[in-house]
């Protein structure tokens, strides 16, 4: 599975740890930056990952900022994106199973390295449950056409 990832300066250290973790687990990773620790505007990096997912270049994405909030708000403005900001693994799993989320967001100033890895595992190993959840997700996506 191909995973897109990016962070701003609030998630820079954690991003590198997660990139290595994903590679160790055998995922193919597209790292959209940042590549050095400098102050940037998180919407620019949310857009890079969201665009990759939206165009089918990668299947799922991970965005890390200070809280995960700005990244998720920005990514959710891009067509086809369902970004979930979480800090516990149950929510990360449910984001895939019930909401068919395609981007996982979390905060480098909120979760530690090991908790972040549990979020990533829970998200990437879960699958969309479909059925009644498809109807609900379809309703969400219909808002994009209004
Ligand atoms: C950057 O200071 C911070 O605002 C950003 O990383 C993020 O937490 C925004 O939601």
């Amino acid at each position: 599975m191909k995973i897109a990832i990016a962070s701003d300066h609030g998630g820079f250290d954690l991003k590198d740890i997660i990139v290595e973790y994903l590679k160790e687990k055998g995922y193919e990773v597209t790292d959209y930056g940042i590549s050095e620790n400098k102050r940037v505007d998180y919407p620019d990096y949310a857009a890079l990952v969201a665009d990759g997912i939206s165009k089918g270049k990668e299947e799922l994405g991970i965005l890390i900022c200070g809280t995960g909030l700005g990244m998720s708000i920005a990514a959710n403005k891009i067509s086809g994106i369902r970004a979930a900001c979480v800090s516990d693994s149950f929510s990360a799993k449910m984001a895939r199973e019930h909401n068919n989320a395609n981007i996982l967001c979390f905060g480098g100033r909120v979760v530690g390295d090991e908790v972040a890895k549990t979020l990533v595992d829970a998200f990437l190993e879960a699958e969309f449950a479909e059925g009644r959840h498809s109807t609900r997700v379809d309703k969400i996506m219909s808002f994009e056409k209004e």
Side-chain angles (χ1 to χ4, degrees):
M1 191 192 293
K2 211 167 177 180
I3 309 295
I5 190 166
S7 77
D8 72 354
H9 48 286
F12 177 73
D13 293 333
L14 185 52
K15 176 175 71 68
D16 280 355
I17 290 164
I18 297 300
V19 166
E20 284 316 304
Y21 185 65
L22 290 168
K23 287 180 179 169
E24 275 167 25
K25 293 209 140 198
Y27 293 102
E28 205 180 325
V29 181
T30 309
D31 185 349
Y32 285 97
I34 50 178
S35 55
E36 58 178 303
N37 199 355
K38 57 178 184 188
R39 278 187 193 283
V40 295
D41 295 334
Y42 58 81
D44 297 334
Y45 293 87
L48 291 173
V49 166
D51 200 53
I53 304 299
S54 180
K55 291 185 171 143
K57 288 191 217 162
E58 297 89 12
E59 201 173 326
L60 293 171
I62 298 174
L63 286 166
I64 314 169
C65 60
T67 58
L69 292 168
M71 285 293 200
S72 60
I73 292 167
N76 277 315
K77 297 291 182 191
I78 308 291
S79 176
I81 296 305
R82 293 173 298 279
C85 180
V86 305
S87 51
D88 68 277
S89 56
F90 177 72
S91 299
K93 182 171 183 270
M94 287 299 114
R96 290 281 307 125
E97 289 188 3
H98 285 196
N99 313 116
N100 200 14
N102 46 19
I103 299 185
L104 172 71
C105 304
F106 49 86
R109 297 171 184 158
V110 179
V111 297
D113 306 353
E114 296 307 316
V115 170
K117 290 175 189 172
T118 69
L119 304 180
V120 168
D121 288 343
F123 186 77
L124 297 182
E125 287 165 20
E127 281 182 21
F128 183 43
E130 303 193 11
R132 66 185 188 279
H133 302 294
S134 294
T135 312
R136 295 161 185 168
V137 172
D138 288 348
K139 284 188 181 185
I140 296 171
M141 300 323 284
S142 76
F143 298 161
E144 289 185 354
K145 298 185 194 104
E146 287 169 13

